[in-house]
Amino acid sequence: MELIEILKAVCSEKAVSGNENTFFGALSALLPKGSSTQRDKIGNTYIKLGPQGAEHSVLLDAHCDQIGFVVTDICSNGFLKVAAVGGIDARTLYGERVEVFGKQTLNGVFGAIPPHLQKEGDRDKYVKTEDLAIDTGLSKDEVCALVSRGDFVCVKSNFMLLNENKVCSAGLDNKAGVAVLLYVLNKLTELKNTEVTLLLSVQEELGLRGAAAAEKAADAIICVDASFASYVGCPLEKTGKMAKGAMLGHSPVLSRSLTDALENIAVKNDIPLQHEILPDLTGTNADRLSLRAGGANCALISFPLLNMHSAVEMLDLRDLYSIADIIEGYIKEVDRVA
């Protein structure tokens, strides 16, 4: 299956942090033959490929959860009040289409006050999520029959291919990481000396909780996540350029030897690569997974993402292919070492 097909399929499944359960049922058609799957108590999913008890082991991680909302109240007019799950800038929400996961899935929209009716000074006011409301088009009685306080909500994915390389969708952080690792797994069909485990971790947007609870360790751990793409007003030293390749993380908490090994794969195979300097913690699952089993060799590879934590996140497929080629090359090289 092509990467774009996997990405579209993964983005169509919703997985608000804490409500990822329905996400995994749709993955079976995307898994390689011969793989096995198991879940842990917090909801992490482990997909294993290769001989058990092999000489080498590699753990690949991508968090599958996305930012969203939880219903806090149902108003007298049937509108829904919500609170954010994860880091959300409410200024991006006016007029956005959403899905409400009640007894059945409902379509809705975040309402917007027309500029003609706004009070003086309101246009410059910093809006908060609790100031907004979702309209499903139903009365209070109709809504109450289908929706309860505590139900989850997310913006519609609206997956869109802008051109042959640029993709726009909600949830690319980190559905794209999931997609690229599923793509890699499907290319690793003849492993002889290496056991590869894909960890689809949950609740990353709530403080890296899934990674903290992960039960598995490995000789090498590679995390894939979104990072920041260059944009007007963003500091260049904190961003990467789209279509210039994978962003290889450099941080005190990451393994220098594993990071160097991944860089060597890129250089040897002419794979586009750029470097991300992270002088402290990475803010990703790598911070937690590097502590597995008393300390583990852990590296981080990211893709540049525009408009992070919005309904119109954007990436370049060439950066995802760069990540896939580096990880596939590394695993195949490890597997050749008997």
Side-chain angles (χ1 to χ4, degrees):
M1 185 178 291
E2 292 298 323
L3 177 56
I4 184 63
E5 296 173 14
I6 298 174
L7 181 60
K8 186 174 183 179
V10 170
C11 284
S12 69
E13 300 300 324
K14 312 305 184 297
V16 178
S17 296
N19 189 45
E20 301 95 343
N21 290 339
T22 58
F23 176 77
F24 301 107
L27 292 182
S28 56
L30 305 177
L31 302 183
K33 293 181 179 178
S35 62
S36 62
T37 303
Q38 66 182 74
R39 300 277 300 278
D40 64 18
K41 292 178 182 177
I42 199 172
N44 293 320
T45 291
Y46 304 85
I47 302 164
K48 287 189 173 185
L49 191 67
Q52 284 192 338
E55 183 176 354
H56 308 291
S57 60
V58 178
L59 178 69
L60 307 174
D61 167 78
H63 75 86
C64 64
D65 60 309
Q66 65 191 99
I67 58 173
F69 311 90
V70 62
V71 176
T72 59
D73 198 12
I74 301 174
C75 302
S76 59
N77 56 8
F79 287 6
L80 302 176
K81 302 293 285 185
V82 295
V85 176
I88 296 176
D89 186 345
R91 293 174 297 180
T92 68
L93 298 177
Y94 276 130
E96 283 294 347
R97 295 184 292 173
V98 301
E99 292 177 281
V100 182
F101 305 112
K103 293 179 181 177
Q104 68 184 56
T105 301
L106 300 178
N107 291 317
V109 295
F110 274 108
I113 300 174
H116 323 67
L117 303 180
Q118 291 179 13
K119 298 177 183 178
E120 187 175 352
D122 277 358
R123 294 187 192 184
D124 299 323
K125 182 181 177 182
Y126 188 88
V127 66
K128 299 178 181 179
T129 305
E130 55 262 35
D131 298 328
L132 304 176
I134 293 172
D135 184 1
T136 63
L138 302 177
S139 68
K140 181 176 181 179
D141 289 343
E142 291 171 321
V143 171
C144 286
L146 298 171
V147 180
S148 301
R149 297 174 67 219
D151 285 344
F152 289 89
V153 179
C154 73
V155 295
K156 279 186 168 291
S157 61
N158 299 316
F159 188 92
M160 178 170 52
L161 194 60
L162 298 176
N163 55 41
E164 62 179 348
N165 293 308
K166 296 285 196 311
V167 171
C168 180
S169 176
L172 291 175
D173 173 17
N174 186 35
K175 301 290 183 59
V178 172
V180 75
L181 291 181
L182 286 170
Y183 176 72
V184 169
L185 228 61
N186 276 281
K187 299 181 74 176
L188 299 173
T189 55
E190 297 181 358
L191 294 172
K192 293 181 171 57
N193 304 301
T194 308
E195 182 181 44
V196 177
T197 301
L198 171 54
L199 166 59
L200 300 182
S201 49
V202 299
Q203 298 186 33
E204 190 270 353
E205 300 291 357
L206 297 178
L208 317 180
R209 283 171 48 81
E215 299 171 350
K216 305 299 180 184
D219 301 329
I221 300 174
I222 304 173
C223 297
V224 176
D225 206 341
S227 190
F228 306 110
S230 300
Y231 189 67
V232 177
C234 295
L236 292 178
E237 70 275 10
K238 295 184 178 181
T239 61
K241 295 182 178 179
M242 294 176 71
K244 295 298 182 181
M247 299 171 67
L248 184 62
H250 299 265
S251 163
V253 304
L254 299 174
S255 166
R256 186 59 182 263
S257 60
L258 180 55
T259 301
D260 287 346
L262 295 174
E263 182 176 1
N264 290 338
I265 291 292
V267 171
K268 185 164 56 177
N269 295 282
D270 294 320
I271 302 170
L273 182 71
Q274 48 193 322
H275 299 277
E276 182 176 26
I277 309 305
L278 303 160
D280 202 331
L281 296 174
T282 70
T284 72
N285 280 344
D287 297 341
R288 298 295 181 93
L289 292 174
S290 60
L291 302 176
R292 294 289 89 200
N297 292 321
C298 190
L300 172 65
I301 307 182
S302 303
F303 52 92
L305 185 71
L306 278 176
N307 314 322
M308 187 182 290
H309 283 202
S310 78
V312 288
E313 294 178 341
M314 190 184 305
L315 58 74
D316 193 297
L317 289 170
R318 288 169 289 191
D319 298 324
L320 298 189
Y321 279 115
S322 173
I323 293 173
D325 290 344
I326 292 170
I327 293 177
E328 180 188 1
Y330 171 77
I331 292 174
K332 287 184 174 179
E333 186 166 284
V334 167
D335 195 54
R336 282 194 293 269
V337 180

